[in-house]
Amino acid sequence: MAFDRLFEPLRVAALAAGRLRTAVAYPLCPVSVRAAVQASEAGYIEPVLVGPAGRIAALMAQEGLRAASMEIIDTPDDELLAARAAAALARDGAVSMLMKGSLHTDHFMSAVVTRESGLRTNRRISHAFVMAVAAYPKLLILTDAAVNIAPSLQEKADIAQNAIDLARALGVERPKVAVLCATESVNPAMPATLDAAALSKMADRSQIRGGDIDGPLAFDNAISREAADQKGIVSRVAGDADILLVPDIEAGNMLYKELTWLAGAGAAGLVLGTRVPVLLTSRSDSMEARVNSCAVAALYAHALGS
């Protein structure tokens, strides 16, 4: 799609930064193993396939791929054990990124989020989609549509900080965060609007750093300057948001799927708030989305290491 050109500068920057060793946990479906190979051939990652070596080699042969060209770490044929082995590689510094293969998301994330993994930080773990939408002139980061169900105010502050750090890693000097609600007015009967107002003040007091935050903002005045002007909203963020912070996972999930399935948006996604980037791909993700995710994650990983 033509608007997917918005990802092109990120791909170029990721290539210039160099390949990163990436543990791919339990890649035992054609899409996951092909995505690892394609991202490797594109120059973004150096895959380390973690799982039952015999089954991985057989699958690669079935798909016409050369197993000898890939590093494979053999584990028992068990999703959770493969996920733990991949997480251990990241903990020990043997890889710079983690990527979900064909295993269940719960098994994959349980190996990452446990304190014993050594991958947790002091921040709440969150997820971000980087999206290219035809009707918007720049990339949008949507958070959190995949991990946090009903985040508290402090958890939203962490989610905002994670997304700001990602946006800065992608080249946005001072990201603009729109805290989405059903209205742009503070309403005590709508707790999300109170959180949004508090987040804005937290940014003013440098409790959240590196970006501008405004809210509550409805979706229209977050992404349309015209809509914001019609409602008399004076804001550095309104109409020019880089990040959309949603009130809960239901709002985020619906918005992500509406943009993807109705607006044809392109997307990349990763987990933030961990010591290394974590690519939480879905079985329904396109090959392009998986490769874009590798490029975005590689830039974030380089930023974490700098």
Side-chain angles (χ1 to χ4, degrees):
M1 298 181 182
F3 62 88
D4 195 48
R5 70 187 186 283
L6 293 172
F7 278 108
E8 188 58 28
L10 304 187
R11 297 191 195 105
V12 171
L15 286 175
R19 297 172 186 268
L20 290 176
R21 280 172 59 82
T22 302
V24 186
Y26 208 75
L28 284 168
C29 70
V31 173
S32 62
V33 75
R34 280 194 170 276
V37 171
Q38 188 165 333
S40 174
E41 291 176 345
Y44 302 123
I45 69 172
E46 181 184 330
V48 179
L49 308 182
V50 183
R55 288 190 61 193
I56 293 173
L59 175 62
M60 293 185 72
Q62 174 188 310
E63 295 297 309
L65 306 171
R66 291 191 309 111
S69 67
M70 292 283 164
E71 181 178 350
I72 300 176
I73 293 182
D74 190 23
T75 72
D77 194 354
D78 179 282
E79 291 187 359
L80 185 53
L81 291 178
R84 288 174 178 169
L89 291 172
R91 178 199 63 210
D92 296 341
V95 298
S96 300
M97 302 196 297
L98 290 175
M99 184 176 182
K100 175 178 171 284
S102 58
L103 72 170
H104 196 280
T105 297
D106 288 348
H107 287 166
F108 180 65
M109 288 304 298
S110 69
V112 173
V113 303
T114 177
R115 289 290 177 188
E116 290 72 25
S117 73
L119 300 180
R120 298 287 297 268
T121 68
N122 291 329
R123 279 197 216 150
R124 181 76 176 180
I125 290 174
S126 61
H127 185 275
F129 283 111
V130 182
M131 308 198 73
V133 186
Y136 204 63
K138 59 183 177 178
L139 291 171
L140 272 172
I141 294 176
L142 173 63
T143 190
D144 180 341
V147 172
N148 291 284
I149 296 173
S152 66
L153 173 60
Q154 184 54 57
E155 288 166 350
K156 288 178 181 177
D158 283 349
I159 291 168
Q161 189 67 70
N162 287 342
I164 288 169
D165 290 350
L166 172 62
R168 289 169 60 87
L170 301 183
V172 182
E173 184 174 347
R174 188 165 182 84
K176 299 175 182 177
V177 183
V179 188
L180 295 185
C181 296
T183 176
E184 61 280 348
S185 300
V186 176
N187 183 342
M190 302 173 71
T193 67
L194 301 178
D195 284 355
L199 290 167
S200 300
K201 183 53 65 177
M202 290 171 78
D204 291 343
R205 299 288 168 84
S206 297
Q207 291 174 263
I208 305 170
R209 298 175 179 271
D212 296 318
I213 301 180
D214 197 10
L217 290 172
F219 180 77
D220 56 348
N221 44 62
I223 54 93
S224 168
R225 184 71 257 174
E226 180 182 358
D229 289 344
Q230 287 174 352
K231 294 195 174 181
I233 297 172
V234 178
S235 167
R236 293 190 298 271
V237 174
D240 192 35
D242 299 293
I243 299 167
L244 303 178
L245 195 156
V246 298
D248 56 39
I249 198 170
E250 292 173 305
N253 187 272
M254 285 185 276
L255 182 53
Y256 164 69
K257 288 178 179 174
E258 287 158 2
L259 291 174
T260 302
W261 292 96
L262 287 179
L270 70 158
V271 173
L272 310 170
T274 48
R275 296 195 182 280
V276 301
V278 177
L279 290 90
L280 192 62
T281 51
S282 167
R283 284 170 293 182
S284 62
D285 285 345
S286 67
M287 190 66 68
E288 188 171 55
R290 289 171 183 263
V291 174
N292 282 341
S293 295
C294 288
V296 167
L299 291 174
Y300 184 58
H302 283 294
L304 288 176
S306 63

